[in-house]
Amino acid sequence: MLALTEPLVVGVDFGTLSGRAVVVRVRDGAELGSAVFEYPHAVVEDALHGRQLPPDWALQVPSDYVDVLRNAVPNALEAAGVSGENVIGIGTDFTACTMIPVTADGTPLCELTEFHAEPHAYVKLWKHHAAQGQADRITDLARIRGEKWLARYGGLISSEWEFAKGLQILEEAPEVYAAMWRFVEAADWIVWQLTGNYVRNACTAGYKGIHQDGAYPSADYLRELNPRFERFVTDKLAHPLGQLGDAAGRLTAEAAAWTGLPAGIAVSVGNVDAHVTAPAAQAVEPGQLVAIMGTSTCHVMNGAELREVPGMCGVVEGGIVPGLWGYEAGQSGVGDIFGWFVDHGVPPEYHDRARELGVSVHELLTGLAAQQEVGEHGLIALDWHSGNRSVLVDHELSGLVVGQTLATRAEDTYRALLEATAFGTRVIVDTFIDAQVPVTEFVVAGGLIRNPLLMQIYADVLDMPLSVIGSSNGPALGSAIHAAVAAGAYPDIRAAAAAMGSVERDVYLPIPANVAGYEELFTEYLTLHDYFGRGVNEVMRRLKERRRNARKGRDQ
């Protein structure tokens, strides 16, 4: 162990499949060591304790999150070659909206004997999309009633968010709903485990919990939605809010034993993986859009003024940094789509060739696809394999590839899927600009920055230079930055970001010839986007409903 005397902080990023801890020097943001712990139960999507789950379910087991604290944090300290004695704070972030029904002492209902086999008692992961029917009703009623908060979410409420998931529990498992003391964001639950205090963070309350101008949707509105839902806010959701960068409490002796950190150090208020990454990328001023690209992509950006942007995930005052309006958009499937294609759409000979070359199938396909000219494969794809988060906010939509022939090869489809996600991002950026929210810089973070072809495609499709975060652990570094603020090492998030954040400007530049080619293909993408996504042809919704009915009939 190194005998460091400089103060350190720890950031922990809870992702979709694993948790990552990083040890960071407060003075300059240097990352001294990191460690990853994969969730033993991963994502529960098909069956739970032998019980078949319906389509579009995505659950997790909350004990996996505590195991991250027990394993990733001590291992990160070991990797850094330091003891925990100089750590002055710890911060965490989570995927959102990931929800846990709990008792009054924070025990997840799935850990109670009577609910151990009940799916609704488990964590509903962000990509649990089975509450689309409830989300549609929430949106439709808000539109009919003229609820002012609806415009803050682009006119549509997502099935991924708190109200849709809560309403689904009420209507499908009323006994779980009755036993639930609070419906808690995982971002707040993990802080509760660290401190013994339940503090609801202002970020998820605003973006995922429809908290605007100091209030949630009214009991009047909720009663009209479902009479038994009238007290959802009062009984299951409302709680004092903690502001970003504040301390939620102090590390308990029990959590200190898990992590190897000193008891009593500051624990920052919980946060979302995307929003916490903006300071890590030094993107805290208006117009700097950060795209956190992994299994999905979340786009976050500050704006100086409040604008209503169609189809956005939300705009929240102080949602990223105090004093500015934080905007959020996103794509529900990006890396997940590429992974699905490699697992299920690539012929065995490609896997054999990748093994012979000592590369991954992703690397093989990327190399082959990079040899093509723009449009050479003759394909256009829609990136909706996990539904559409922005700007259509409809998880009944599905993926599509147009133009396949007997000459189509795996690298053709792979490149078309890469391009489809870039086109989806272009729709989001254009929507911001059309709503008078300027996008002046596009900064990329997340695991997909390792694919140079994908990055160049994005630069060409957007016709913008791409800046790249200087850290491979963006969310964890962002959480560490918040921990430094909570511990009093910096006066605010901006100051901490300037000292501890890292970014490389203009790493990928648009290639003019590619920009022109992609402009033509983007026009084709928009035609398909509007035809299938804006109600002209609802075949995707009908197919989803047919699938559900067929599965239901088979399981009965």
Side-chain angles (χ1 to χ4, degrees):
M1 294 282 182
L2 295 177
L4 292 179
T5 58
E6 290 195 81
L8 309 174
V9 284
V10 171
V12 188
D13 167 42
F14 291 85
T16 299
L17 295 173
S18 64
R20 177 183 296 272
V22 61
V23 179
V24 179
R25 191 163 59 201
V26 171
R27 170 169 55 86
D28 58 2
E31 298 172 36
L32 305 181
S34 65
V36 177
F37 180 79
E38 295 186 0
Y39 303 145
H41 299 92
V43 181
V44 181
E45 297 177 280
D46 299 320
L48 178 71
H49 301 305
R51 176 177 172 181
Q52 189 74 28
L53 294 174
D56 302 320
W57 276 63
L59 307 177
Q60 287 195 316
V61 177
S63 61
D64 289 356
Y65 307 146
V66 176
D67 286 343
V68 170
L69 300 175
R70 296 177 185 272
N71 290 275
V73 176
N75 291 343
L77 291 169
E78 184 177 358
V82 300
S83 71
E85 61 187 13
N86 291 323
V87 175
I88 62 172
I90 179 172
T92 59
D93 66 83
F94 238 99
T95 61
C97 171
T98 296
M99 302 298 299
I100 310 177
V102 302
T103 64
D105 65 358
T107 302
L109 293 189
C110 62
E111 295 181 3
L112 303 181
T113 303
E114 61 266 38
F115 292 122
H116 188 60
E118 169 53 59
H120 280 292
Y122 282 75
V123 178
K124 282 186 167 61
L125 185 59
W126 65 267
K127 65 176 183 175
H128 176 91
H129 293 145
Q132 184 64 50
Q134 284 82 5
D136 290 342
R137 288 162 48 208
I138 291 168
T139 297
D140 291 344
L141 180 60
R143 189 176 294 126
I144 291 168
R145 288 172 53 101
E147 297 288 341
K148 292 182 179 179
W149 45 260
L150 186 61
R152 300 278 180 95
Y153 302 95
L156 293 159
I157 299 300
S158 173
S159 65
E160 296 181 1
W161 298 352
E162 295 176 10
F163 279 72
K165 287 173 173 172
L167 184 58
Q168 186 191 20
I169 293 177
L170 170 70
E171 295 179 339
E172 297 181 10
E175 68 285 357
V176 173
Y177 186 86
M180 176 173 68
W181 175 73
R182 287 287 189 276
F183 203 29
V184 176
E185 283 276 0
D188 300 327
W189 185 81
I190 202 66
V191 170
W192 193 349
Q193 306 313 298
L194 289 168
T195 64
N197 300 328
Y198 174 34
V199 178
R200 182 159 161 73
N201 77 84
C203 182
T204 53
Y207 290 104
K208 314 302 178 184
I210 318 182
H211 186 267
Q212 293 285 346
D213 300 325
Y216 295 95
S218 68
D220 230 22
Y221 164 81
L222 297 175
R223 182 173 59 252
E224 191 170 344
L225 197 59
N226 183 316
R228 294 176 296 147
F229 206 51
E230 177 181 6
R231 294 185 58 83
F232 175 65
V233 167
T234 305
D235 293 348
K236 309 297 183 183
L237 210 61
H239 202 78
L241 299 184
Q243 299 304 310
L244 305 185
D246 285 353
R250 300 288 164 178
L251 194 70
T252 66
E254 181 182 28
W258 296 340
T259 58
L261 301 177
I265 64 172
V267 180
S268 61
V269 168
N271 211 323
V272 180
D273 51 358
H275 303 72
V276 82
T277 302
Q282 294 184 336
V284 293
E285 300 304 327
Q288 295 179 300
L289 187 149
V290 182
I292 300 87
M293 298 178 60
T295 54
S296 63
T297 293
C298 193
H299 309 78
V300 295
M301 180 176 64
N302 287 299
E305 298 176 344
L306 173 62
R307 303 287 186 191
E308 295 178 358
V309 186
M312 294 301 104
C313 297
V315 53
V316 175
E317 188 173 11
I320 301 172
V321 295
L324 294 173
W325 290 92
Y327 291 86
E328 178 191 346
Q331 292 164 272
S332 294
V334 179
D336 263 358
I337 299 175
F338 312 149
W340 160 81
F341 180 70
V342 164
D343 290 343
H344 301 288
V346 177
E349 57 265 29
Y350 284 82
H351 292 267
D352 294 340
R353 186 175 174 189
R355 279 192 292 271
E356 291 171 5
L357 295 173
V359 298
S360 70
V361 179
H362 286 283
E363 291 170 317
L364 175 64
L365 291 173
T366 295
L368 294 171
Q371 299 171 24
Q372 299 181 357
E373 297 295 325
V374 174
E376 183 178 335
H377 50 51
L379 304 174
I380 290 285
L382 291 176
D383 52 318
W384 299 344
H385 297 65
S386 289
N388 181 284
R389 187 184 295 165
S390 300
V391 299
L392 301 173
V393 197
D394 188 347
H395 294 287
E396 292 291 274
L397 298 175
S398 50
L400 179 75
V401 180
V402 174
Q404 290 180 322
T405 71
L406 296 179
T408 300
R409 296 294 178 258
E411 59 266 30
D412 302 332
T413 305
Y414 190 77
R415 178 164 181 144
L417 293 173
L418 300 183
E419 292 167 343
T421 67
F423 292 145
T425 290
R426 167 75 181 273
V427 171
I428 290 167
V429 170
D430 286 355
T431 303
F432 272 125
I433 293 170
D434 290 345
Q436 298 183 318
V437 181
V439 179
T440 58
E441 183 179 12
F442 195 93
V443 186
V444 183
L448 293 182
I449 61 176
R450 293 191 293 268
N451 187 320
L453 173 62
L454 182 66
M455 295 297 97
Q456 188 61 54
I457 288 171
Y458 271 64
D460 294 337
V461 168
L462 295 170
D463 193 14
M464 292 181 68
L466 262 60
S467 299
V468 175
I469 191 172
S471 170
S472 60
N473 304 310
L477 174 59
S479 286
I481 288 171
H482 281 71
V485 177
Y490 291 96
D492 55 41
I493 295 169
R494 277 191 176 90
M500 300 175 67
S502 176
V503 66
E504 298 176 54
R505 308 285 182 196
D506 301 343
V507 176
Y508 295 92
L509 301 176
I511 299 170
N514 292 352
V515 170
Y518 277 129
E519 192 65 34
E520 295 178 4
L521 291 177
F522 181 62
T523 300
E524 303 290 357
Y525 174 91
L526 282 181
T527 299
L528 295 173
H529 177 281
D530 292 349
Y531 180 74
F532 289 103
R534 297 195 185 276
V536 180
N537 187 333
E538 297 198 344
V539 60
M540 292 179 177
R541 279 178 163 269
R542 292 194 294 272
L543 290 174
K544 278 282 189 81
E545 183 62 25
R546 181 176 289 273
R547 178 177 181 240
R548 279 192 290 268
N549 291 339
R551 286 279 294 270
K552 190 183 302 180
R554 188 190 67 186
D555 296 338
Q556 287 176 347

